[in-house]
Amino acid sequence: MDVLNTLGLFIGSLISNTLASLSGGGAGLIQFPLLIFLGLPFSIALATHKIASVALGIGATINHIRNGTLAWKITLYVIAVGTLGVILGANLILSIPVKFAEAALGALIISLGIYSVTSKELGQQSIPRHRTGFGFFIGAIALFIIGIINGSLTAGSGLFVTLFLVRWFGCDYKQAVAITLVSVGLFWNAIGAVAIYQAGATIYWPWLPVLLVGSLLGGYLGAHLAHQRSNQLIKRCFEALTFVIGFKLLLDL
């Protein structure tokens, strides 16, 4: 790959992961299509993107730990209950009609954005709820399903987790984004990358160093911005990203 393509790959990775770290998901919006554009087949691009996205979680995790913004109990819960779904999704991706699945996901993501826009006070302050045995049980089912989406598709699952944490468990947007970036960005993506590799997908190793640097820096920068900015701004970034990703997935059908 020449210098110009390498620079483009780095800039695309940095921008997509910064936005994802600020909004709670969506790194695949730019990074994954960029890998396809540069010539990688779908399954190889997906596996390579999954590996690179782990660095997003690392960068965000470092920043959130330094700033003390993590709710560790819920973070560990999200990691645990979604893991099996991620593994299942990674094994399903090689045998399902991807275009149909991504179109359906696009419609669901747009509905998340509409719901957030019409709920003015959503996620503006932390109001803990459903943190009982039954509430965590229902949450586990929902997060398992989102884990399947994370393991099998390219973008958007982090947005589901972010909004679910806000709506079901009463987190504000800052808390939800922090939990999502650590549990999904780091652990779910790492597990999904290993699972999809073992399922038979190939990783394109020569591009990984550039992607890892862009993802790591983007994850840290986005987490820093999220810490500095208001819940209202993060909410707006989340909403904008849901519409962009949702319509992109629909238009790619």
Side-chain angles (χ1 to χ4, degrees), residues 31-117:
Q31 185 167 275
F32 179 75
L34 184 59
L35 295 177
I36 297 288
F37 176 76
L38 291 173
L40 293 187
F42 180 91
S43 62
I44 297 176
L46 178 60
T48 306
H49 163 68
K50 288 288 185 184
I51 290 286
S53 294
V54 176
L56 158 68
I58 294 173
T61 299
I62 292 171
N63 190 282
H64 285 303
I65 289 176
R66 287 185 59 188
N67 289 299
T69 52
L70 275 177
W72 281 106
K73 179 181 178 181
I74 296 183
T75 301
L76 294 174
Y77 162 79
V78 173
I79 293 169
V81 300
T83 296
L84 185 59
V86 172
I87 295 171
L88 177 60
N91 284 274
L92 286 175
I93 185 58
L94 301 179
S95 60
I96 63 173
V98 174
K99 288 299 183 181
F100 173 79
E102 290 196 342
L105 179 62
L108 288 173
I109 290 175
I110 291 172
S111 71
L112 295 185
I114 294 172
Y115 177 77
S116 183
V117 168

Side-chain angles (χ1 to χ4, degrees), residues 88-152:
L88 177 60
N91 284 274
L92 286 175
I93 185 58
L94 301 179
S95 60
I96 63 173
V98 174
K99 288 299 183 181
F100 173 79
E102 290 196 342
L105 179 62
L108 288 173
I109 290 175
I110 291 172
S111 71
L112 295 185
I114 294 172
Y115 177 77
S116 183
V117 168
T118 56
S119 303
K120 302 299 183 183
E121 300 302 315
L122 183 70
Q124 298 308 292
Q125 56 183 329
S126 177
I127 307 175
R129 54 178 174 264
H130 298 137
R131 301 188 187 187
T132 62
F134 180 73
F136 280 116
F137 173 74
I138 297 299
I141 295 174
L143 289 166
F144 171 77
I145 294 171
I146 299 173
I148 295 175
I149 295 172
N150 174 270
S152 59

Side-chain angles (χ1 to χ4, degrees), residues 140 142 175 178 189 221:
Q175 292 174 335
N189 282 348
L221 178 59

